[in-house]
Amino acid sequence: MSSTLAFKKTYNSMPKVTSFTPGRVNLIGEHIDYNGGIVLPVALEKGIFISLTPRSDNSIRIFSDQFDEVIELSINNIATSKWSDYALGSIVYANKAGFLNGGADIAITSTLPIGAGLSSSSALIVGILKLAASLSKKTVDNISIAILAKRVENEFIGMPCGIMDQMAISCTDPGKAIALDTKNLSFEVISLPKSYHIAIIHSGEYRLNTDGNYKKRKEECDIIKEIIGHNDICNMSDNEFILLKNTSTDLYQRALHCVSEHQRALKAIKAIKDDNIPKLGLLMTESHASMRDDFKMSLTNIDNLVNDAIHLGAVGARLTGGGFGGCIVACVLKKNLKTWRQKLLSLHPKAFSVI
Ligand code: GLA
């Protein structure tokens, strides 16, 4: 159902504004967007439709087709670990930014699976903030929207994420990748290889970024930053590595992932520009090994899915997103896609194709 129709059915009126906001998949550069790294996310054709009408009082009503309920709140409410927190936080921060002056009626419909690592929550926040900004007479650029959206997640939701998802969603169009320098937010839009498909397969293992695993890795990285005395883990020196190795094997391994993942992301950007997709594939597969062995953010079922994806002909495959569940991303020749997908899914009955 379109969000306009959902809005009409729920509130018995037409919405003032409606938009589509893409989800994102990360090709390479995992868990380094808060450690000084370069990342390569792609905005998706699947995403979130949002219809919204601002209100002059402080009430907020939110309908979502994925939960099939209307939640009634006020802009004075705080997060309560419910699906509606993301929309609530977006309206609260749209007020803080002066885009709105009061609550809103909202209807959300989605083509993105939840808990898949495809950033449905960031898409919702960016989408609402952009709609709210469009209703105000303020000129707001895409990077400022991304920064505000990150604040909603960090401050309102309590999810200590980096800036990758919000930037990918706010700053590029579906089907395009951005090579993003997370230190200064400069980015280059990159076209994807024409003869290959970027396939996304959900493992059937569900996860939430707020379930604590992401936070644990973030906290380990915070300790590394304290030990080395700066925030740029991805570019740490050999001496800093030795210092870490003598302090803790776990922390050393986390840092090893960050440094090597940053280098792989740089090489992957070059490989795409050189149209060397087999090289991109190898880097993706190496990235998975690093996430599995050093950052320790994978699951056995996901490792098996990645291995089978490669054995069945993908040039490369890896877990994508925050980890501990969700989707894999694989690079597959378009002409082999149908058979590849059928064979992979028949080996993994819990898995399903997203794109
Ligand atoms: C989640 C976070 C991002 C990023 C990825 C891992 O999607 O929101 O900021 O850290 O995990 O790369």
Side-chain angles (χ1 to χ4, degrees), residues 121-225:
S121 41
S122 302
L124 179 57
I125 298 169
V126 167
I128 292 179
L129 291 177
K130 282 197 174 185
L131 282 179
S134 76
L135 286 166
S136 72
K137 298 283 170 268
K138 291 178 190 282
T139 317
V140 194
D141 61 82
N142 290 335
I143 297 183
S144 304
I145 292 282
I147 292 170
L148 189 60
K150 179 175 181 282
R151 282 186 59 203
V152 175
E153 296 213 35
N154 293 165
E155 297 166 12
F156 190 85
I157 307 289
M159 159 64 185
C161 62
I163 189 78
M164 167 172 76
D165 305 346
Q166 299 81 358
M167 283 293 290
I169 288 165
S170 187
C171 299
T172 189
D173 298 321
K176 295 260 158 97
I178 58 166
L180 170 68
D181 183 337
T182 58
K183 273 197 289 208
N184 59 18
L185 301 191
S186 64
F187 64 87
E188 186 185 351
V189 176
I190 304 214
S191 296
L192 292 170
K194 293 224 171 1
S195 46
Y196 286 83
H197 182 75
I198 304 297
I200 302 174
I201 307 286
H202 197 299
S203 62
E205 305 280 351
Y206 287 86
R207 54 158 278 275
L208 289 175
N209 275 340
T210 46
D211 66 7
N213 285 313
Y214 184 98
K215 199 164 167 226
K216 216 160 145 193
R217 291 291 173 270
K218 168 78 171 47
E219 281 165 2
E220 288 175 331
C221 291
D222 288 343
I223 301 174
I224 296 175
K225 289 174 190 176

Side-chain angles (χ1 to χ4, degrees), residues 232-285:
D232 197 356
I233 298 182
C234 289
N235 291 292
M236 62 197 279
S237 68
D238 291 349
N239 281 346
E240 288 164 350
F241 252 135
I242 294 168
L243 176 68
L244 263 184
K245 203 169 185 176
N246 294 333
T247 312
S248 146
T249 311
D250 283 353
L251 295 182
Y252 171 73
Q253 284 187 302
R254 306 297 177 265
L256 198 58
H257 166 76
C258 294
V259 172
S260 63
E261 184 74 350
H262 175 62
Q263 291 304 321
R264 278 187 293 273
L266 289 170
K267 288 181 191 157
I269 293 161
K270 181 168 183 320
I272 297 184
K273 286 182 178 169
D274 293 347
D275 205 22
N276 187 349
I277 307 310
K279 172 80 184 170
L280 168 70
L282 279 179
L283 291 161
M284 289 170 71
T285 305

Side-chain angles (χ1 to χ4, degrees), residues 268-333:
I269 293 161
K270 181 168 183 320
I272 297 184
K273 286 182 178 169
D274 293 347
D275 205 22
N276 187 349
I277 307 310
K279 172 80 184 170
L280 168 70
L282 279 179
L283 291 161
M284 289 170 71
T285 305
E286 281 173 25
S287 166
H288 184 79
S290 175
M291 293 191 291
R292 180 193 61 211
D293 301 338
D294 291 335
F295 213 71
K296 298 213 169 30
M297 55 183 278
S298 188
L299 304 173
T300 308
N301 282 352
I302 294 182
D303 298 338
N304 294 338
L305 189 60
V306 164
N307 287 341
D308 288 336
I310 294 162
H311 288 141
L312 290 169
V315 294
R318 58 186 289 281
L319 166 63
T320 185
F324 307 97
C327 291
I328 68 159
V329 57
C331 198
V332 188
L333 260 179

Side-chain angles (χ1 to χ4, degrees), residues 20-26 42-47 112 118-119 168-169 172-176 198 200 354-355:
F20 169 77
T21 314
R24 72 94 191 91
V25 68
N26 192 18
V42 179
L44 300 175
E45 258 126 49
K46 292 202 173 184
L112 277 178
L118 301 177
S119 284
I169 288 165
T172 189
D173 298 321
K176 295 260 158 97
I198 304 297
I200 302 174
V354 179
I355 287 179

Side-chain angles (χ1 to χ4, degrees), residues 70-90:
V70 183
I71 303 260
E72 302 206 14
L73 298 157
S74 119
I75 57 171
N76 302 315
N77 284 125
I78 55 164
T80 53
S81 301
K82 282 200 88 155
W83 65 265
S84 49
D85 285 351
Y86 297 95
L88 169 65
S90 309

